[in-house]
Amino acid sequence: MANGTRVLAAGGVVWRREADELQLLLVHRKKFRDVSFPKGKLDPGETFAEAAVREIEEETGIRSALGPSLGVVTYHLPSGREKVVEYWSVGATPEQIAASTFTPNKEIEALEWVALDDARDRLSYPVDREVLAAFEELIDADGLHTFPIVLMRHGKAGSASVDHERELTERGQEQADAAVGALRAFGVRRILSSTARRCQQTVAPLAATLGRRVHVSDDISQDAFERGEDDPSTIIERRVEKGKPALVCSHGPVLIGLMESLAKAAGTKVTSELRAAASLSTGSFTVVHVSRSGGIVAIETHAPFEERRPA
């Protein structure tokens, strides 16, 4: 997708374990006669995250969920236009690889799995080696084997005489619909919501798309928070114990407690950065990547209708 003078794109470093060796997937592009990581331009209205998953599948036949972000690279095309590409770490299971129906085509003539040590020499461009360096930093941080816990604030809501009966406005419904693609990109399967109607409405589009039920709890409602009876720790501890991708939709005042509980359950110090990542605008969400060996590896915040520009 082009945005003024910029071209927006997304991709990933797809990796696997083969006989105890870490290998990366490189694509050989026929038109440009180069070797790179799979990536491609955003479609109109698409987020970086959902574009990354779609482009990886289109170029390699492998569909997998996103892990931690590897950041953004920026460079200029021969035309002079600026290209902005965001990358994620993407672990591919043997089943996902076996399910690939990739065949050489006019865009990608071959796929190649290479050892990590060989990837730097195989890549055609310095900018891809920057991405590789970020991936190696993720390895050093024990960040390959993670699962996401997503904290989301409900979409924009109207007024009502009883707080928990407030419903999404038209804007709020648009926010809920717009979040589905990005939430799916991170492999969310378990969906938890406050008992408030606006929270349940916010996660309803995702639940319908995935064919999953919404698990509702008063422990993370604003009413319980105002009564001093909320219990975010029990909800979060259970999700960390399970170690599976989950979405928790709640309210502004409750999200800080959810984040603090998540940090403690993961064995990470509660910091101002984590608290700030829980201070969300309506319809926004923060993905917290939790290492399976303990600790929070990375966080990233996504806002609806806006282009996300990570630092």
Tab-separated table of all heavy atoms in Angstrom, residues 109-130:
chain	number	residue	atom	x	y	z
A	109	GLU	N	10.643	-17.934	-7.070
A	109	GLU	CA	11.062	-19.112	-7.831
A	109	GLU	C	11.541	-20.253	-6.954
A	109	GLU	O	11.584	-21.408	-7.397
A	109	GLU	CB	12.159	-18.742	-8.828
A	109	GLU	CG	13.445	-18.207	-8.233
A	109	GLU	CD	14.453	-17.869	-9.315
A	109	GLU	OE1	14.224	-18.246	-10.480
A	109	GLU	OE2	15.472	-17.209	-9.000
A	110	ALA	N	11.892	-19.951	-5.679
A	110	ALA	CA	12.346	-21.015	-4.789
A	110	ALA	C	12.321	-20.551	-3.340
A	110	ALA	O	12.408	-19.350	-3.044
A	110	ALA	CB	13.756	-21.445	-5.164
A	111	LEU	N	12.184	-21.527	-2.445
A	111	LEU	CA	12.324	-21.298	-1.009
A	111	LEU	C	13.571	-22.031	-0.545
A	111	LEU	O	13.930	-23.077	-1.083
A	111	LEU	CB	11.113	-21.831	-0.244
A	111	LEU	CG	9.730	-21.306	-0.635
A	111	LEU	CD1	8.663	-21.978	0.232
A	111	LEU	CD2	9.663	-19.793	-0.478
A	112	GLU	N	14.196	-21.484	0.489
A	112	GLU	CA	15.433	-22.102	0.971
A	112	GLU	C	15.518	-21.982	2.489
A	112	GLU	O	15.464	-20.890	3.028
A	112	GLU	CB	16.636	-21.420	0.321
A	112	GLU	CG	17.981	-21.980	0.760
A	112	GLU	CD	19.155	-21.226	0.158
A	112	GLU	OE1	18.959	-20.082	-0.325
A	112	GLU	OE2	20.269	-21.768	0.191
A	113	TRP	N	15.626	-23.125	3.156
A	113	TRP	CA	15.880	-23.128	4.597
A	113	TRP	C	17.391	-23.123	4.798
A	113	TRP	O	18.101	-23.974	4.254
A	113	TRP	CB	15.290	-24.368	5.256
A	113	TRP	CG	13.788	-24.373	5.355
A	113	TRP	CD1	12.911	-25.004	4.533
A	113	TRP	CD2	12.999	-23.704	6.343
A	113	TRP	NE1	11.619	-24.781	4.935
A	113	TRP	CE2	11.639	-23.983	6.046
A	113	TRP	CE3	13.299	-22.895	7.443
A	113	TRP	CZ2	10.590	-23.488	6.821
A	113	TRP	CZ3	12.256	-22.398	8.207
A	113	TRP	CH2	10.918	-22.694	7.904
A	114	VAL	N	17.883	-22.172	5.577
A	114	VAL	CA	19.326	-22.072	5.809
A	114	VAL	C	19.602	-21.953	7.299
A	114	VAL	O	18.768	-21.460	8.068
A	114	VAL	CB	19.944	-20.868	5.074
A	114	VAL	CG1	19.682	-20.966	3.570
A	114	VAL	CG2	19.419	-19.549	5.617
A	115	ALA	N	20.781	-22.408	7.698
A	115	ALA	CA	21.193	-22.265	9.087
A	115	ALA	C	21.365	-20.787	9.415
A	115	ALA	O	21.679	-19.966	8.547
A	115	ALA	CB	22.501	-23.014	9.325
A	116	LEU	N	21.144	-20.449	10.668
A	116	LEU	CA	21.245	-19.059	11.102
A	116	LEU	C	22.586	-18.449	10.706
A	116	LEU	O	22.649	-17.319	10.209
A	116	LEU	CB	21.049	-18.984	12.625
A	116	LEU	CG	21.185	-17.611	13.273
A	116	LEU	CD1	20.092	-16.680	12.790
A	116	LEU	CD2	21.132	-17.738	14.794
A	117	ASP	N	23.668	-19.186	10.893
A	117	ASP	CA	25.005	-18.655	10.591
A	117	ASP	C	25.205	-18.388	9.105
A	117	ASP	O	26.056	-17.580	8.729
A	117	ASP	CB	26.086	-19.620	11.088
A	117	ASP	CG	26.129	-19.704	12.612
A	117	ASP	OD1	25.618	-18.769	13.253
A	117	ASP	OD2	26.661	-20.691	13.143
A	118	ASP	N	24.435	-19.076	8.262
A	118	ASP	CA	24.591	-18.897	6.813
A	118	ASP	C	23.687	-17.800	6.250
A	118	ASP	O	23.901	-17.329	5.133
A	118	ASP	CB	24.272	-20.208	6.084
A	118	ASP	CG	25.243	-21.318	6.466
A	118	ASP	OD1	26.409	-20.997	6.773
A	118	ASP	OD2	24.828	-22.495	6.461
A	119	ALA	N	22.682	-17.418	7.013
A	119	ALA	CA	21.684	-16.489	6.489
A	119	ALA	C	22.285	-15.139	6.113
A	119	ALA	O	21.911	-14.546	5.093
A	119	ALA	CB	20.565	-16.299	7.516
A	120	ARG	N	23.209	-14.655	6.929
A	120	ARG	CA	23.769	-13.325	6.658
A	120	ARG	C	24.426	-13.261	5.289
A	120	ARG	O	24.312	-12.266	4.561
A	120	ARG	CB	24.776	-12.958	7.747
A	120	ARG	CG	25.316	-11.540	7.635
A	120	ARG	CD	26.146	-11.136	8.824
A	120	ARG	NE	25.334	-10.896	10.001
A	120	ARG	CZ	25.144	-11.771	10.980
A	120	ARG	NH1	25.699	-12.963	10.918
A	120	ARG	NH2	24.385	-11.479	12.004
A	121	ASP	N	25.134	-14.316	4.912
A	121	ASP	CA	25.806	-14.325	3.608
A	121	ASP	C	24.833	-14.549	2.458
A	121	ASP	O	25.099	-14.119	1.330
A	121	ASP	CB	26.880	-15.432	3.580
A	121	ASP	CG	28.031	-15.136	4.530
A	121	ASP	OD1	28.287	-13.946	4.781
A	121	ASP	OD2	28.646	-16.093	5.022
A	122	ARG	N	23.705	-15.185	2.723
A	122	ARG	CA	22.768	-15.502	1.671
A	122	ARG	C	21.871	-14.311	1.328
A	122	ARG	O	21.440	-14.175	0.184
A	122	ARG	CB	21.883	-16.687	2.077
A	122	ARG	CG	22.641	-17.959	2.383
A	122	ARG	CD	23.236	-18.603	1.141
A	122	ARG	NE	22.192	-19.111	0.269
A	122	ARG	CZ	22.081	-18.803	-1.019
A	122	ARG	NH1	22.953	-17.961	-1.575
A	122	ARG	NH2	21.119	-19.319	-1.749
A	123	LEU	N	21.584	-13.447	2.292
A	123	LEU	CA	20.694	-12.317	2.070
A	123	LEU	C	21.327	-11.292	1.125
A	123	LEU	O	22.523	-10.999	1.219
A	123	LEU	CB	20.345	-11.641	3.404
A	123	LEU	CG	19.446	-12.467	4.332
A	123	LEU	CD1	19.471	-11.890	5.745
A	123	LEU	CD2	18.009	-12.516	3.799
A	124	SER	N	20.508	-10.721	0.251
A	124	SER	CA	21.019	-9.826	-0.786
A	124	SER	C	21.240	-8.394	-0.314
A	124	SER	O	22.068	-7.683	-0.888
A	124	SER	CB	20.054	-9.811	-1.988
A	124	SER	OG	19.949	-11.088	-2.573
A	125	TYR	N	20.496	-7.956	0.736
A	125	TYR	CA	20.506	-6.541	1.069
A	125	TYR	C	20.935	-6.280	2.508
A	125	TYR	O	20.558	-7.032	3.425
A	125	TYR	CB	19.106	-5.944	0.847
A	125	TYR	CG	18.583	-6.153	-0.543
A	125	TYR	CD1	17.513	-7.021	-0.782
A	125	TYR	CD2	19.152	-5.507	-1.644
A	125	TYR	CE1	17.022	-7.228	-2.063
A	125	TYR	CE2	18.676	-5.703	-2.927
A	125	TYR	CZ	17.611	-6.565	-3.125
A	125	TYR	OH	17.142	-6.767	-4.400
A	126	PRO	N	21.676	-5.191	2.733
A	126	PRO	CA	22.070	-4.821	4.103
A	126	PRO	C	20.874	-4.631	5.030
A	126	PRO	O	20.945	-4.966	6.212
A	126	PRO	CB	22.831	-3.503	3.896
A	126	PRO	CG	23.357	-3.578	2.497
A	126	PRO	CD	22.280	-4.297	1.729
A	127	VAL	N	19.762	-4.103	4.510
A	127	VAL	CA	18.608	-3.858	5.358
A	127	VAL	C	18.043	-5.167	5.911
A	127	VAL	O	17.551	-5.214	7.053
A	127	VAL	CB	17.531	-3.063	4.582
A	127	VAL	CG1	16.891	-3.912	3.495
A	127	VAL	CG2	16.485	-2.499	5.530
A	128	ASP	N	18.135	-6.253	5.143
A	128	ASP	CA	17.682	-7.547	5.646
A	128	ASP	C	18.620	-8.071	6.736
A	128	ASP	O	18.187	-8.780	7.644
A	128	ASP	CB	17.596	-8.560	4.508
A	128	ASP	CG	16.379	-8.350	3.628
A	128	ASP	OD1	15.396	-7.776	4.117
A	128	ASP	OD2	16.412	-8.747	2.448
A	129	ARG	N	19.879	-7.716	6.635
A	129	ARG	CA	20.820	-8.128	7.678
A	129	ARG	C	20.565	-7.359	8.983
A	129	ARG	O	20.862	-7.857	10.066
A	129	ARG	CB	22.254	-7.962	7.183
A	129	ARG	CG	22.618	-8.997	6.107
A	129	ARG	CD	24.092	-8.993	5.763
A	129	ARG	NE	24.444	-7.927	4.837
A	129	ARG	CZ	24.311	-8.016	3.509
A	129	ARG	NH1	23.832	-9.123	2.972
A	129	ARG	NH2	24.667	-7.016	2.729
A	130	GLU	N	19.987	-6.157	8.869
A	130	GLU	CA	19.543	-5.441	10.072
A	130	GLU	C	18.419	-6.207	10.764
A	130	GLU	O	18.387	-6.321	11.990
A	130	GLU	CB	19.052	-4.040	9.703
A	130	GLU	CG	20.116	-3.074	9.227
A	130	GLU	CD	19.510	-1.723	8.872
A	130	GLU	OE1	18.427	-1.385	9.408
A	130	GLU	OE2	20.107	-1.013	8.046
